[in-house]
């Protein structure tokens, strides 16, 4: 008997120009365009196995070993239904293909990093889900076309269908949303020196989810209206130009300014939303002082909807930045970059008084990664489901 199954992985992306606010909740159409860097799956990824079988009684999804309900009309249901619809159309156009669109599916997904802690787990998760179903169903759709469906699961998931540097164009078709699509600005090979140091400040689930936070912001923040009308369009053009020319100084300033404004918009929301904490703000002060020592910024901090810092830097400067972070935020375990342990140190001329030295555990861990590729197809040996279609971890 044939087994219809596929296993894929998809990357995390961290935005430089933030997506915050929807003009259409059902279609998940954003109030502004956004741009992100795809991070290497060697460090951060969601892995998903999808199987279709006539014996399955219902669609079922397990996330990190626990059943995640597929609610009618919910985002999971929408994505799975759309992929089944595409498979049915494919079968109609190709009569010799197996008729599997009507089969129920079992889906198992695993994140190798904390879920819902501000590390873009929903983006990589829905991208992996859509990509696994696309491979299971042998669909001919392009990543751009698949991004339309991933967007319906989690807006930023559309950007995780590409590697490198990725834009999500907001589009203008509010009726169908067919022009609100992701596109690759540059592949990872364009600027391979782009690296990231992630400071895990808190790996717990955040207090205000992105979905509910966005809804409040759209209704109550006057600053958001200024941002989407007067700020983001020019920033998108400027950062795409900086990426094309590999001008890190400009890239860094735009990235930090946009992070600052995103969190200002969260503060301008009523009641206000606080995603950063004292450790987050200390890291901003440290990176600001570090950049003061050179003519052009050598590091760019950015924060999504959570307290964890992502620091972008080029390869020659990453070790020095890690030394600086370790000086203020000592780690219980050694940090290794490029095969060598990193020791805490301050650069010459650095004003030590910009922040206090924190106790061990204030930053729970450092993740060193770099710009990476888009979704991958994995081998059968990496499948998360057993022969009966049940997660191997539960068997």
């Amino acid at each position: 008997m044939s087994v219809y199954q596929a296993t894929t992985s998809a990357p995390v992306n961290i935005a430089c120009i933030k997506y915050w606010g929807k003009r259409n909740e059902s279609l998940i159409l954003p109030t502004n365009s956004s741009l992100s860097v795809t991070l290497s799956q060697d460090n951060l990824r969601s892995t998903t196995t999808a199987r279709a079988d006539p014996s399955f009684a219902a669609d079922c999804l397990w996330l990190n070993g626990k059943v995640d309900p597929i609610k009618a009309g919910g985002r999971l249901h929408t994505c799975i239904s759309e992929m089944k619809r595409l498979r049915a159309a494919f079968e109609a156009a190709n009569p010799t293909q197996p008729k599997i669109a009507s089969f129920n599916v079992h889906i198992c997904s695993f994140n190798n990093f904390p879920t819902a802690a501000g590390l873009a787990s929903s983006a990589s998760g829905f991208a992996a889900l859509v990509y696994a179903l696309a491979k299971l169903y042998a669909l001919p759709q392009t990543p751009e076309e698949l991004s339309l469906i991933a967007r319906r699961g989690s807006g930023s998931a559309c950007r995780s269908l590409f590697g490198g540097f990725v834009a999500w164009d907001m589009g203008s078709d509010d009726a169908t949303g067919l022009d609100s699509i992701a596109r690759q600005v540059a592949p990872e090979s364009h600027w391979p020196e782009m690296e990231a140091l992630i400071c895990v400040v808190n790996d717990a689930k955040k207090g205000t989810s992105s979905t509910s936070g966005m809804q409040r912001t759209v209704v109550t923040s006057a600053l958001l209206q200024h941002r989407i009308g007067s700020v983001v369009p020019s920033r998108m053009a400027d950062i795409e130009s900086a990426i094309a020319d590999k001008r890190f100084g400009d890239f860094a300033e735009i990235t930090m300014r946009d992070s600052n404004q995103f969190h200002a918009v969260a503060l301008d929301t009523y009641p206000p939303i606080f995603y950063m904490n004292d450790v987050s703000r200390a890291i901003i002060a440290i990176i600001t002082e570090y950049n003061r020592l050179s003519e052009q910024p050598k590091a760019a901090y950015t924060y999504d909807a959570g307290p964890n810092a992502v620091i972008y830097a080029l390869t020659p400067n990453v070790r020095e930045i890690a030394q600086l972070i370790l000086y203020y935020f000592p780690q219980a375990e050694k940090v290794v970059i490029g095969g060598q342990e990193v020791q805490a140190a301050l650069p010459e001329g650095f004003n030590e008084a910009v922040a206090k030295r924190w106790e061990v555990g204030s930053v729970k861990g450092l993740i060193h990664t770099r710009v990476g590729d888009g979704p991958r197809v994995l081998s059968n040996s990496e499948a998360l489901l057993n022969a009966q279609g049940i997660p191997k971890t539960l068997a």
Side-chain angles (χ1 to χ4, degrees):
M1 185 176 177
S2 299
V3 175
Y4 302 104
Q5 177 174 289
T7 300
T8 65
S9 66
V12 165
N13 73 77
I14 299 294
C16 302
I17 306 296
K18 304 297 186 185
Y19 150 56
W20 193 254
K22 293 187 280 288
R23 67 185 195 272
N24 183 308
E25 289 283 346
S26 175
L27 293 176
I28 308 191
L29 301 180
T31 54
N32 62 268
S33 298
S34 56
L35 185 142
S36 60
V37 179
T38 298
L39 301 182
S40 172
Q41 295 176 71
D42 295 343
N43 308 103
L44 301 166
R45 66 188 176 276
S46 294
T47 301
T48 297
T49 297
R51 183 186 300 182
D53 195 281
S55 69
F56 294 159
D59 293 334
C60 190
L61 183 140
W62 293 265
L63 174 61
N64 294 334
K66 297 180 180 179
V67 173
D68 198 358
I70 302 173
K71 301 174 183 176
R75 295 183 179 187
L76 281 171
H77 182 264
T78 296
C79 288
I80 294 169
S81 298
E82 280 295 297
M83 297 304 288
K84 286 184 177 182
R85 181 186 64 79
L86 290 178
R87 173 64 192 191
F90 179 70
E91 291 172 2
N94 299 272
T96 60
Q97 289 292 319
K99 302 299 185 286
I100 63 174
S102 61
F103 294 175
N104 287 317
V105 292
H106 280 190
I107 302 167
C108 184
S109 187
F110 176 77
N111 299 328
N112 71 340
F113 57 93
T115 300
L119 283 178
S121 58
S122 63
S124 58
F126 273 102
L129 168 75
V130 168
Y131 201 68
L133 288 170
K135 295 306 175 184
L136 164 67
Y137 290 148
L139 297 176
Q141 272 72 19
T142 64
E144 289 87 353
E145 292 169 321
L146 293 177
S147 78
L148 293 168
I149 298 173
R151 187 199 76 215
R152 301 285 301 276
S154 174
S156 55
C158 68
R159 299 190 307 250
S160 280
L161 284 165
F162 294 90
F165 303 83
V166 187
W168 173 15
D169 294 323
M170 63 180 288
S172 59
D173 185 349
D174 290 352
T176 68
L178 291 177
D179 59 352
S180 183
I181 197 167
R183 61 180 169 85
Q184 188 179 62
V185 172
E188 61 273 20
S189 59
H190 170 70
W191 207 355
E193 301 85 5
M194 181 69 74
E195 301 192 11
L197 189 66
I198 302 173
C199 303
V200 182
V201 176
N202 189 339
D203 57 5
K205 192 171 183 178
K206 56 199 174 196
T208 303
S209 73
S210 296
T211 298
S212 63
M214 285 186 199
Q215 291 170 339
R216 271 167 45 194
T217 298
V218 169
V219 172
T220 65
S221 173
L223 181 56
L224 177 70
Q225 303 310 315
H226 169 70
R227 167 175 168 75
I228 63 183
S230 303
V231 178
V232 171
S234 60
R235 276 192 185 156
M236 284 291 293
D238 290 345
I239 200 166
E240 288 195 38
S241 173
I243 291 167
D245 297 338
K246 295 191 274 191
R247 301 192 315 270
F248 184 83
D250 292 340
F251 169 90
E253 181 175 339
I254 295 167
T255 295
M256 291 185 286
R257 283 181 176 271
D258 206 75
S259 178
N260 294 346
Q261 189 177 69
F262 159 52
H263 288 277
V265 164
L267 185 61
D268 189 51
T269 301
Y270 188 81
I273 306 170
F274 304 97
Y275 284 123
M276 293 195 295
N277 59 23
D278 288 345
V279 173
S280 309
R281 288 183 282 271
I283 294 171
I284 290 177
I286 291 163
I287 295 303
T288 300
E289 171 63 12
Y290 176 70
N291 284 333
R292 184 188 64 80
L293 301 177
S294 54
E295 291 184 6
Q296 291 282 329
K298 295 197 295 185
Y301 61 77
T302 188
Y303 294 81
D304 278 350
N308 301 319
V310 176
I311 303 169
Y312 288 120
L314 299 182
T315 302
N317 302 317
V318 170
R319 174 172 290 274
E320 185 177 54
I321 295 166
Q323 291 174 328
L324 179 57
I325 295 298
L326 285 179
Y327 182 86
Y328 285 98
F329 303 101
Q331 299 293 296
E333 299 181 5
K334 67 179 182 180
V335 175
V336 176
I337 291 178
Q340 294 184 323
E341 184 176 356
V342 178
Q343 301 293 339
L346 290 181
E348 184 178 350
F350 191 93
N351 178 10
E352 183 180 3
V354 296
K356 73 172 187 177
R357 298 185 73 178
W358 293 71
E359 60 274 9
V360 174
S362 298
V363 169
K364 301 184 186 308
L366 296 178
I367 301 171
H368 173 229
T369 186
R370 63 181 62 243
V371 62
D373 59 349
R376 301 171 180 174
V377 177
L378 305 182
S379 66
N380 287 333
S381 64
E382 298 173 275
L384 303 179
L385 296 172
N386 65 12
Q388 290 73 45
I390 302 299
K392 292 178 179 178
T393 56
L394 301 179

